[in-house]
Amino acid sequence: MNKARLMQGNEAVAEGAIYAGVRFFAGYPITPSTEIAETMAKLLPQVGGKFVQMEDEIASMGAILGASLAGQKVLDATSGPGFSLKQELIGYAACAEIPAVLVDVQRVGPSTGQPTSPSQGDVMQARWGTHGDHPVIALAPWTVREAFDATVMAVNYAERFRTPVILLMDEIVGHLRERVVLPEPGELPVYARRQPKCTRSEGYQPYTPEEDLVPNVADFGEGYRIHVTGLIHDETGFPSGSPSVTEKSIRRLHEKISRAEDEIIHYDEFFLEDADYAVVTFGGVSRTAYEAVQNARRQGIKVGMVRLMTIWPFADKMIARLAKQVQGILVPELNYGQLVGEIERAAAGQCPVKLLAKYNTEIFTPTEIETAIKNLCAGGRI
Amino acid sequence: MERSFEKYFRQNRLPHLWCPGCGNGIAMKAIVMAIEKKGLSQDNTVIVSGIGCSSRASGYMDFDTLHTAHGRAIPFATGIKLARPELNVIVITGDGDCTAIGGNLFIHAARRNVDLTVVLFNNSIYGMTGGQASPMTPYGKKATTAPYGAIDRPFDVCQLAIASGATYVARSTAFHVQHLTEMIAGGFDNQGFSFIEAVVQCPTAYGRKNKLPEPADMMKWMRDQAIMKPAWDKLPAEKREEKFPIGLFYSAQYEDYTTAYDEVIQRAGGDQK
Amino acid sequence: MISDITIKMARCKGCGICVAFCPKQVLALDELSKVQVVNGEACIACGQCELRCPDYAIFVDKKVSQ
Ligand SMILES: Cc1ncc(C[n+]2csc(CCOP(=O)(O)OP(=O)(O)O)c2C)c(N)n1
Ligand code: SF4
Ligand code: SF4
Ligand code: SF4
Ligand SMILES: [Mg+2]
């Protein structure tokens, strides 16, 4: 069995990537994500993979997409300003259906903001950062071990759905050190690259979807001579200006993810059986929230908690159920209020949804969240 | 008799969409003739392009082809080459694509000496978007965004490539088709970053604005103004005005990036896996 | 005629490049702006037209002598 190791969240991401079969990383240093690049620079050549430090985040994103098309599983890591620069090619990956995982270790923005301080301010950028209509998958771990597992999952989803997947880390988890036991090979599932089911002479078309609406796009160099473009294209892969092709392909991009929501959406529920109130959190904040909820419980307050691991696609159904059960939902976020809007939308007026926002570089204290829970129960201001 | 280079085109995509007389068709033919000359396999060669009229070429060529985003072809190509070093990776780009929006990406790939062959179709203008000035629009020439003449000094992109570390740098024109083919073929031979500037005519967006509306006249201009490198070197400065050199400007032996990275893998013990 | 001139009409865009570079005035553009052979006898099979046609629409082969 693997021995327990003291490890940082960012290192766990790199280890998870290697475990999942990532063999190519291109990146550009930025706090607080840099340790991922540094760890990949060390680990990748040890397993025959490659690491390149590119000249900026646009180049990094281009390089991983090229490597992915040539058959490699790929990863790239960044933070705020770099995440902004990558948006153009995240859209490219969504449109051309190129598997790729991008880690965003969030920091305080806008702009250079507070480079070393934790934040959860990129929730909406992860969803809507690039132009146009496109789906996305975003996962937010809350422990070091889960940073590992979520990375493996992210790589698997990228491959399985041929889509960009965002690992929405925050500085809290990225720089957290915990003792972890990493899984043995084979312990976690690893999804292999999808392969064409017929040959070129049998009429292969790269963008003909399978039953799960995902196409088996051939890797470059396999003799299929495919064309890949960021223009809207039909099943042949060549651009088409047709309204019906456009509508069909944009719809398929969305539906390949939405149809699989039950498979993709993960969350933890705590103390919900008898709960009259609930705290909904994600990422590093969940650690503090968990403590606050336990404290409140000890004082007899019937409060439960949901910790979202999957941020996008959003867990609408679960929130709707929750909102029916409880008399109020508290959403503590390290931003001015982002996920709260989604929760409000999904709750659809069944119960009040209250925001506890913090954006001053400091993390929540358990007392702050505990006080907010009490205020929520009292029906007062948070 | 059917020409053997036709097999490198996706016949169902021809005729291409370029304007009558556009030089891109000639440069694209030069590339496939160079491919044929060097015997590059169709299944092991990838064509990567950016966005622009020039970058449309990838769609017509029967290889694995990748039409990327504006200015981004070179990093995509870098990723492909590093992931699968056995593939020949050819980049087709435009003067705006390569030297404006993609300028930084271009010089860094040259600096790393990634084994790519980059062919820039230089029509001195943003063709696709209707004739705006590019970083290679000659001083004083007109563009829709330089209606009184360009005041920006243009890049000499070959000098830029040399200064950035490219190990093979050449220029030719659409008039000098065979010479252009040779220059490109030479780029395939070089294991490292090869750069070929192909001067091409854009009668529609550049010629019309600059008193050269006829494609043939633009090609005659190339014939008359382009001077082969050896002759250029002997030409006194006062006779160089309005003229420009073509030919092989620079070639050097330097370890390419994938070879260098193989050594990294060895040092890390990854070659045992 | 010492040459066979093949024209793929569907490809010709009538740019006139072949006409301009033909040293023997063999070619011209017709009413519909497509290339046509007007003086085939004069063709010397130099290949200049084929070489520079941006649309791969014209091909010249030397006739093999009977
Ligand atoms: C990010 C981005 N900015 C702008 C454009 C619009 N655009 C498309 S092609 C082009 C210029 C192309 O010029 P060049 O690279 O010289 O190619 P040409 O069309 O002349 O062959 C521009 C500005 C774009 N597609 N993407
Ligand atoms: S606009 Fe210029 S570059 Fe574009 S196809 Fe027409 S002639 Fe060629
Ligand atoms: S050069 Fe080609 S396209 Fe132009 S007129 Fe002649 S045959 Fe037609
Ligand atoms: S081969 Fe030469 S002479 Fe004959 S038509 Fe072509 S350009 Fe004219
Ligand atoms: Mg141009």
Side-chain angles (χ1 to χ4, degrees), chain A residues 90-373:
Chain A
I90 292 175
Y92 189 93
C95 183
E97 300 183 77
I98 306 172
V101 176
L102 174 58
V103 188
D104 173 28
V105 187
Q106 300 165 87
R107 65 188 230 184
V108 176
S111 190
T112 311
Q114 294 284 11
T116 55
S117 302
S119 162
Q120 297 181 310
D122 301 349
V123 170
M124 286 300 164
Q125 191 184 18
R127 178 67 192 87
W128 297 113
T130 193
H131 55 284
D133 293 315
H134 62 92
V136 79
I137 297 175
L139 308 174
W142 73 319
T143 66
V144 172
R145 169 61 203 254
E146 201 187 62
F148 180 100
D149 294 353
T151 306
V152 176
M153 205 181 260
V155 176
N156 285 344
Y157 288 158
E159 294 292 330
R160 152 100 173 74
F161 298 104
R162 291 201 62 105
T163 188
V165 176
I166 289 153
L167 189 67
L168 203 57
M169 295 273 286
D170 52 52
E171 194 274 343
I172 303 171
V173 179
H175 284 164
L176 178 74
R177 284 187 180 279
E178 283 183 320
R179 198 163 276 286
V180 290
V181 180
L182 297 184
E184 300 284 342
E187 206 175 314
L188 298 183
V190 169
Y191 195 90
R193 173 63 56 92
R194 302 174 73 113
Q195 296 298 333
K197 291 206 175 124
C198 66
T199 63
R200 184 175 149 90
S201 56
E202 286 162 0
Y204 172 74
Q205 298 199 123
Y207 287 92
T208 302
E210 292 288 300
E211 233 161 68
D212 62 358
L213 301 183
V214 184
N216 297 329
V217 182
D219 294 334
F220 285 171
E222 300 296 328
Y224 286 89
R225 297 187 206 161
I226 63 169
H227 184 62
V228 175
T229 176
L231 287 162
I232 298 286
H233 44 273
D234 61 21
E235 294 183 5
T236 65
F238 287 94
S240 161
S242 134
S244 68
V245 167
T246 308
E247 185 181 321
K248 199 172 146 199
S249 58
I250 291 175
R251 193 186 324 114
R252 182 176 63 72
L253 288 182
H254 283 84
E255 287 184 353
K256 72 177 177 182
I257 307 291
S258 62
R259 274 211 210 161
E261 273 180 9
D262 292 343
E263 186 186 325
I264 302 170
I265 295 177
H266 306 277
Y267 49 84
D268 295 324
E269 298 177 329
F270 303 100
F271 321 116
L272 276 185
E273 303 76 37
D274 61 344
D276 295 329
Y277 295 91
V279 178
V280 179
T281 69
F282 66 101
V285 171
S286 314
R287 307 172 69 90
T288 322
Y290 187 71
E291 201 179 322
V293 168
Q294 278 181 309
N295 289 345
R297 279 256 154 199
R298 268 184 231 116
Q299 296 161 46
I301 301 171
K302 285 188 177 172
V303 59
M305 168 170 157
V306 175
R307 199 276 305 184
L308 296 170
M309 181 199 191
T310 307
I311 307 298
W312 305 113
F314 189 69
D316 277 42
K317 279 187 262 173
M318 179 273 292
I319 294 292
R321 249 187 286 120
L322 183 70
K324 202 168 174 186
Q325 175 190 338
V326 300
Q327 291 154 39
I329 294 175
L330 176 71
V331 187
E333 290 188 79
L334 287 181
N335 58 41
Y336 201 79
Q338 295 199 12
L339 201 66
V340 67
E342 284 302 294
I343 296 172
E344 229 163 8
R345 183 185 54 73
Q350 297 183 101
C351 78
V353 175
K354 300 283 184 186
L355 166 71
L356 178 65
K358 194 166 184 179
Y359 37 86
N360 68 351
T361 74
E362 290 167 353
I363 61 172
F364 286 111
T365 63
T367 316
E368 281 173 318
I369 299 182
E370 197 184 313
T371 308
I373 293 171

Side-chain angles (χ1 to χ4, degrees), chain A residues 88 131, chain B residues 18 22 24 50-56 69-72 93-101 120-135 200 202 205:
Chain A
E88 176 194 38
H131 55 284
Chain B
W18 290 313
C22 174
N24 290 344
I51 295 287
C53 292
S54 36
S55 290
R56 277 207 150 126
H70 192 28
R72 319 299 182 212
T93 178
D95 43 318
D97 198 62
C98 185
T99 71
I101 191 163
L120 186 158
F121 292 11
N122 174 20
N123 58 9
S124 308
I125 202 84
Y126 284 4
M128 172 144 268
T129 42
Q132 300 76 27
S134 96
V200 295
C202 165

Side-chain angles (χ1 to χ4, degrees), chain C residues 15-48:
Chain C
C15 67
I17 289 175
C18 56
V19 179
F21 286 105
C22 173
K24 298 288 168 194
Q25 285 78 49
V26 174
L27 307 168
L29 295 185
D30 68 14
E31 293 287 292
L32 301 171
S33 282
K34 294 266 186 185
V35 71
Q36 60 176 337
V37 178
V38 289
N39 188 11
E41 291 306 322
C43 178
I44 54 171
C46 67
Q48 294 291 311

Side-chain angles (χ1 to χ4, degrees), chain A residues 24 40-42 44-56 58-72 88-89 92 98 200 219-231 236 238-239, chain B residues 7 10 13 42-44 46 51 58-60 62-70 72 75-85 87 101 104-106 108-109 111-112 257-258 261-262 264-266 268-271 273:
Chain A
F24 188 85
M40 290 305 268
K42 192 178 74 190
L44 272 172
Q46 293 176 2
V47 294
K50 286 179 183 156
F51 166 92
V52 209
Q53 182 174 325
M54 298 298 284
E55 50 276 20
D56 62 29
I58 297 171
S60 318
M61 199 63 205
I64 64 163
L65 297 185
S68 180
L69 285 164
Q72 297 282 17
E88 176 194 38
L89 295 185
Y92 189 93
I98 306 172
R200 184 175 149 90
D219 294 334
F220 285 171
E222 300 296 328
Y224 286 89
R225 297 187 206 161
I226 63 169
H227 184 62
V228 175
T229 176
L231 287 162
T236 65
F238 287 94
Chain B
K7 72 167 179 286
R10 291 172 168 139
R13 318 257 0 137
Q42 244 165 313
D43 289 339
N44 268 326
V46 183
I51 295 287
S58 57
Y60 302 123
D62 197 10
F63 301 86
D64 280 320
T65 53
L66 177 60
H67 185 220
T68 67
H70 192 28
R72 319 299 182 212
F76 275 81
T78 298
I80 296 168
K81 186 68 194 180
L82 294 186
R84 293 280 295 267
L87 299 179
I101 191 163
N104 196 39
L105 312 176
F106 166 60
H108 283 276
R111 174 178 67 83
R112 290 186 192 99
Y257 202 72
T258 29
Y261 204 89
D262 284 344
V264 172
I265 293 177
Q266 248 172 38
D271 52 333
K273 313 247 151 146

